[in-house]
Amino acid sequence: MCGIFGAVVLRGGEALRHPECLARMAESLRHRGPDGERIVGHARARLGARRLAIMDLTTGDQPFQSPDGAIWMVCNGEIYNAPDLRREATAWGYPFRSHGDIETIVPFYERHGEGAVAHLDGMFGLAVWDDRLGRLLLARDRAGEKPLFWTEREGELRFASEIQALLTFPDQPRRVNRPALELYRALGYVPGPHTMFDGIHKLAPGHLLVADAHGVEERPYWSAAAAATAPSKLVDAAQLRGALLRAVERELMSDVPLGVFTSGGLDSSLLVGAAARVMSGEKIHTYAVRFVEPGYDESAYAEAVTHDIKTVHHVVTADDTGLSRALDVVTQSLAEPLGDPAILPTYLLAEAARADVKVVLSGEGADELFGGYPTYLGHKAAAAWLRLPGPVRRTLRWAVERWPSSTRKVTLEFLLKQFVAGAELPWLERHLAWFGALGPSSGGSVVPELACKLTGFPHDDPLNRVLWLDFVTYLPDDLLVKVDRATMLASVEARAPFLDRELMELVLPAPSALKVRGFTTKAILKEAARGLVPDAVIDRRKRGLSVPVARWLNTGLASLADRLLDTPLLAEHRSGKANHARKLWPLLMLALWAERWEVEVG
C-alpha cells in the first residue's frame, strides 16, 4: 500500500517542465506511505511512490523495474492472486527481486501489455511506464477501492493517488468544475470521472488509461454491467458463505498485524466471524466507535459480538472534541469535498487502530450488493403507496409533515418524512430525494448523468437497478472515498472483502428477490451468516455509522456554520422546525474545501 505519483512527456517537449514538483508530490502523499520514498526516471518521465509497508517488508520498495530497465511500475494496493501470478511468471523464467505481491505486475505487463490488468485480482491504482514505446498505462481496480487521478497539461500527463499531489504544479489551474459542483450539491459527493477541479479527472473503476504521443484513451477492462448481465450462479446461502470465507482468507494476507472495524451490525460482524474461522487460534483486533450522543452509540452491540467471538476489542470515543479534531484533519488534508460525516469517526477508528495494526477489514459493498439500505424497502413500499386513493395519501402526508422534528439517529419520523417526500416521484428522482444531499431539484443534469451510469445493465429487475446504481455511484464515489481517505490519513490500509471479484461476480447478477425478500433486507446474506455470527446480530435492525450533525450544527459548529453558510435552511434548522443536517453538512464541507484550496465556488 502506498501513494503513487508521476509525470511523463507525451509530446511537444524534450523534458518535464517542472521536475522539482515530483518531490512535492511525494511530500503531499506522505500520509499514504510513511515508510519510505523512491522516485525513478529521466528527463521525460518520472514515477514515484510513498510506501506503507504491508507485504515483503525488506525487498518490496517501489517503483519496480523490468530486468532491462525499460518498464517502470508503481502500484497502490494489494494483488490478492499474486501467489498464482508469481508461480506462472517464475515458470517463464522471470527473475523476481522481491517476495511480495506488487512486482508480479511487471512480468505480466511484459508478456500481455495492457491485457495484464485483467489478470489482476485485488484492489489497486497502478501506473506502468513503457520507456521503449513512450507509453503510460494507468489502471484502477474493479470496484474502485483505490483512487487514481490524472491531468494533461500541454502534452504532459501527470497522475497521483490524491488530487493535492497534482496541485503542487504551478501551472495547474484551480478552477471549479461547474458540472461537478452541480452534482456535488445534489448528491453530497462527486461522481466520477469528474472531480471538483476543472481539468483533473478521476479514472473510473474497472478502467485503464493508455497515453502516448498519439493521444489519451480510457476504456474498461471489466464492467459491473457485464457481470450483472451474466447468468446467475448464486444458488444458496452455503455457496455464498464459501465465497465470503475465501474472500476473507485472500484479503487476510499480510506481513503485519490485521484488525476489523466493527459496529455490531451484520456486515462487520460477519467479517469478524469469518476472520476468526480463517485465522483460528490467532489474535484478531477489533475496533468500534462509541458516541456520547444518545441514540447514536452502538458500541455495546459491537462489544457483545466481539465478546462472543473472542477478539481483542478496542472502543474509540467520538465526542465533540475528537470529532472536531478529525474535522480539522480531514478538511485540511483532502483536496476534494465529501459530504459524508461518517469520515470523521472512521478517521478516529483508523487513528486508534494504527497503534496495533496496519491493515483493517471493513464492510463496504455489502449494502449495495445485497440490498441493505432502508431505501430499498421504500422503493417496494412506494408501489403500495401509489395504489392508495389520492385523498388518503394527502391526509397521511399532511400528518407526517407535521410530526415534530428530532435530532436523533434514523428515527421513524425521519424515515416517514423522507418516504412521503419522494414516494410519488419517478424511481430515479425518488432515489435521489431519499439518498442524495439537496436532491434532484438542485440540478437539472443530475438525473440524466446518473441514468447513463446504468447503460448496459438489465431492465427486467427494477429493484436490482436501484442496487446497481448505488454500486456504480454511491459506493465508489462516497463510501470507498470515505474509507480510503480516512484510513490513509492515519497510515492504515483498509480492505473490503465484500468487493472481492469472485463475490461481486456471484452476487451482481443474482435476482433482487434473493437480496430483499418481502421487507427483509440482505436476506441471503443473513442466511449465510447463520453459524458465523450470533442470531441477535442477524435479526437486529440496520442503523449504520452516523454522526450527531443536527445537534452539532447548533452547538460546537454554530459559529463555523454561521460564518460559512448563507442559506435559509440553517435558520430553519436552528429553530427546530426541521432537521436539515443532511443538507447542511455537505454545504459546510464544500465551503471549507473552497476556503482551504482557494477556489471560487459562487
Side-chain angles (χ1 to χ4, degrees):
M1 178 60 66
C2 63
I4 65 172
F5 54 93
V8 302
V9 176
L10 299 176
R11 59 188 178 277
E14 294 301 318
L16 294 168
R17 291 194 298 279
H18 300 284
E20 73 283 359
C21 287
L22 273 292
R24 297 175 194 165
M25 296 178 89
E27 182 59 29
S28 73
L29 298 173
R30 176 180 289 271
H31 56 282
R32 297 190 75 92
D35 297 331
E37 172 189 320
R38 185 166 176 255
I39 301 172
V40 301
H42 49 55
R44 291 180 59 83
R46 303 192 78 191
L47 274 66
R50 289 284 324 186
R51 188 181 185 209
L52 176 63
I54 301 294
M55 298 287 294
D56 188 19
L57 305 185
T58 57
T59 64
D61 289 341
Q62 299 187 51
F64 284 105
Q65 293 175 270
S66 60
D68 64 1
I71 307 299
W72 317 340
M73 186 274 301
V74 287
C75 178
N76 165 32
E78 304 292 341
I79 308 303
Y80 300 130
N81 65 332
D84 295 334
L85 301 181
R86 177 177 287 269
R87 281 190 292 271
E88 189 172 349
T90 299
W92 303 337
Y94 188 81
F96 285 99
R97 73 162 173 86
S98 71
H99 304 288
D101 58 314
I102 298 300
E103 191 184 3
T104 56
I105 299 168
V106 178
F108 271 78
Y109 176 83
E110 283 194 309
R111 178 161 290 210
H112 299 289
E114 66 186 59
V117 179
H119 290 263
L120 308 178
D121 289 344
M123 59 175 191
F124 53 83
L126 65 84
V128 179
W129 172 252
D130 191 325
D131 206 40
R132 295 164 301 193
L133 301 176
R135 178 177 296 166
L136 179 70
L137 169 68
L138 303 180
R140 194 170 174 214
D141 65 75
R142 292 166 178 82
E145 289 187 68
K146 294 292 102 183
L148 195 53
F149 300 91
W150 67 276
T151 186
E152 186 181 8
R153 299 292 300 163
E154 299 177 9
E156 190 171 301
L157 193 143
R158 303 157 185 168
F159 67 89
S161 293
E162 294 187 24
I163 291 173
Q164 60 264 34
L166 301 175
L167 298 178
T168 62
F169 287 82
D171 59 351
Q172 180 62 52
R174 296 196 181 191
R175 296 188 302 267
V176 70
N177 179 346
R178 291 294 165 182
L181 178 62
E182 182 178 344
L183 289 164
Y184 175 86
R185 283 173 166 158
L187 302 169
Y189 62 88
V190 179
H194 305 283
T195 74
M196 288 292 274
F197 287 98
D198 192 25
I200 296 179
H201 313 282
K202 185 186 305 178
L203 187 61
H207 279 62
L208 51 82
L209 177 149
V210 179
D212 57 22
H214 302 292
V216 177
E217 181 183 1
E218 287 188 67
R219 52 181 174 269
Y221 67 89
W222 183 87
S223 162
T229 305
S232 177
K233 301 176 183 177
L234 187 54
V235 177
D236 55 29
Q239 184 180 5
L240 175 59
R241 185 185 302 113
L244 179 61
L245 288 171
R246 288 190 294 274
V248 170
E249 184 173 18
R250 278 189 288 270
E251 302 200 15
L252 284 173
M253 71 173 196
S254 174
D255 293 333
V256 295
L258 300 103
V260 184
F261 285 168
T262 179
S263 65
L266 175 63
D267 308 335
S268 59
S269 299
L270 188 47
L271 293 182
V272 174
R277 175 76 64 90
V278 170
M279 301 174 61
S280 180
E282 296 190 37
K283 181 168 64 175
I284 300 172
H285 290 268
T286 52
Y287 301 86
V289 65
R290 182 180 72 84
F291 288 98
V292 297
E293 182 86 358
Y296 282 77
D297 183 43
E298 297 185 292
S299 59
Y301 297 113
E303 190 166 357
V305 171
T306 55
H307 183 269
D308 186 84
I309 300 176
K310 296 181 174 60
T311 69
V312 180
H313 190 54
H314 310 263
V315 177
V316 181
T317 299
D319 55 15
D320 281 8
T321 300
L323 291 171
S324 295
R325 182 169 55 81
L327 178 64
D328 288 341
V329 171
V330 167
T331 55
Q332 287 300 305
S333 304
L334 301 190
E336 56 181 351
L338 181 67
D340 188 341
I343 193 173
L344 305 184
T346 304
Y347 169 74
L348 295 177
L349 283 173
E351 182 186 50
R354 189 64 174 82
D356 313 297
V357 303
K358 279 190 174 183
V359 178
V360 293
L361 302 187
S362 188
E364 272 64 36
D367 286 315
E368 294 77 16
L369 285 170
F370 295 99
Y373 296 124
T375 311
Y376 304 141
L377 298 180
H379 283 289
K380 295 188 72 172
W385 170 265
L386 290 172
R387 289 194 293 269
L388 294 174
V392 174
R393 294 200 305 270
R394 286 192 292 274
T395 300
L396 291 173
R397 188 183 305 111
W398 180 89
V400 168
E401 288 171 348
R402 279 151 184 79
W403 197 334
S405 294
S406 169
T407 60
R408 294 175 68 88
K409 176 182 178 180
V410 196
T411 61
L412 179 61
E413 167 261 330
F414 171 81
L415 291 174
L416 287 177
K417 284 182 177 178
Q418 287 289 100
F419 178 80
V420 299
E424 297 177 31
L425 296 172
W427 80 266
L428 185 48
E429 294 180 29
R430 178 198 310 151
H431 195 58
L432 285 175
W434 290 345
F435 221 59
L438 296 185
S441 61
S442 61
S445 67
V446 178
V447 170
E449 176 96 18
L450 295 189
C452 287
K453 300 283 187 178
L454 287 174
T455 300
F457 282 92
H459 288 267
D460 57 347
D461 192 330
L463 185 57
N464 248 347
R465 287 181 67 81
V466 184
L467 273 65
W468 292 327
L469 178 67
D470 287 342
F471 183 85
V472 297
T473 56
Y474 179 63
L475 174 64
D477 295 319
D478 183 310
L479 297 183
L480 293 178
V481 172
K482 171 197 71 179
V483 172
D484 175 80
R485 305 306 188 277
T487 54
M488 284 281 89
L489 281 171
S491 301
V492 171
E493 173 181 298
R495 301 176 180 174
F498 287 107
L499 298 177
D500 178 88
R501 179 184 179 180
E502 178 191 2
L503 204 57
M504 289 192 298
E505 292 182 349
L506 191 66
V507 178
L508 279 170
S512 63
L514 286 177
K515 306 166 187 178
V516 181
R517 191 172 301 149
F519 284 91
T520 299
T521 58
K522 295 181 184 170
I524 193 168
L525 187 64
K526 290 177 178 178
E527 293 174 19
R530 301 284 177 190
L532 285 175
V533 300
D535 287 351
V537 173
I538 297 171
D539 299 329
R540 189 165 70 88
R541 183 170 71 90
K542 178 181 177 62
R543 299 293 299 278
L545 181 62
S546 189
V547 177
V549 170
R551 188 264 307 161
W552 203 16
L553 285 168
N554 289 342
T555 54
L557 292 182
S559 60
L560 184 67
D562 287 340
R563 180 172 69 84
L564 293 175
L565 296 181
D566 181 17
T567 170
L569 292 175
L570 182 59
E572 194 172 20
H573 180 82
R574 290 275 172 79
S575 71
K577 294 179 180 178
N579 180 355
H580 289 310
R582 195 166 64 97
K583 298 178 179 179
L584 291 170
W585 184 263
L587 295 177
L588 181 61
M589 294 304 99
L590 176 64
L592 286 168
W593 169 81
E595 184 175 76
R596 165 66 178 87
W597 298 100
E598 300 177 347
V599 180
E600 181 64 41
V601 172

